[in-house]
Amino acid sequence: MRLKPPGRLTTSDYPRVMALWQAAGLHIRPTGRDSQEAFARQMAGGLQTVIGVETTSGNLIGVVLATHDGRKGWINRLAVHPSWRRQGVARLLIAAAEDALREQGIEVIAALIEPGNTLSLACFRNSGYEEYIGLHYVSKRSRADS
Ligand SMILES: CC(C)(COP(=O)(O)OP(=O)(O)OC[C@H]1O[C@@H](n2cnc3c(N)ncnc32)[C@H](O)[C@@H]1OP(=O)(O)O)[C@@H](O)C(=O)NCCC(=O)NCCS
């Protein structure tokens, strides 16, 4: 098999996680909540689990963040390297994130998907997620890039 099963990543994996997010074309906030400092703080807080899929030679080709607020779980920043898409890697990562959240007692798991991201929507639907049509997402930010 060319891929290892999904495994936990740590704060020290930040550079390759960031490189993968960039290669995947994910919309990230490198000076805000996706900065190295923010990533380390989120990991230290114990509410974030980072899961990756590597090739057998150790290259990171898929990643997801599983976070929760004690009430609801969130699947964030799901990304698969373009060369490894459509081979079930995202499905594996979503399942691993769900397992990690359920282990922490979380029973409701959600994801926010930007308008027009049809691949991501298809991917979550394929993993059994239902879309709430007409739901409004509101947020308040300390800084524009946070
Ligand atoms: C969305 C993304 C993570 C999917 O990764 P992936 O490993 O290719 O997805 P999988 O192979 O696990 O696909 C799972 C299901 O998603 C759907 N899907 C994935 N890619 C698809 C495509 N190109 N066309 C149609 N459906 C697709 C299918 O239902 C697929 O199941 P199937 O192959 O049995 O039909 C990947 O395209 C990506 O990294 N995109 C850029 C980053 C991004 O937008 N992340 C989501 C942020 S919310």
Side-chain angles (χ1 to χ4, degrees), residues 18-28 79-82 85 114 117:
M18 176 56 82
L20 176 55
W21 282 338
Q22 285 169 338
L26 199 69
H27 180 204
I28 47 171
V80 174
H81 191 280
R85 288 190 187 161
E114 290 182 340
N117 194 343

Side-chain angles (χ1 to χ4, degrees), residues 22-104:
Q22 285 169 338
L26 199 69
H27 180 204
I28 47 171
R29 305 230 175 221
T31 58
R33 62 182 181 273
D34 297 315
S35 69
Q36 187 148 18
E37 299 71 34
F39 189 83
R41 194 171 56 246
Q42 291 150 15
M43 294 297 276
L47 299 177
Q48 172 167 286
T49 308
V50 186
I51 299 165
V53 168
E54 293 178 341
T55 61
T56 45
S57 50
N59 292 323
L60 186 68
I61 58 93
V63 72
V64 70
L65 308 187
T67 62
H68 74 85
D69 51 24
R71 181 176 161 86
K72 193 178 279 183
W74 294 96
I75 295 186
N76 302 272
R77 302 294 192 247
L78 172 67
V80 174
H81 191 280
S83 309
W84 288 87
R85 288 190 187 161
R86 211 63 202 269
Q87 298 179 54
V89 174
R91 194 170 27 230
L92 279 178
L93 284 166
I94 291 172
E98 290 170 353
D99 287 346
L101 289 165
R102 290 199 191 102
E103 277 170 21
Q104 297 172 83

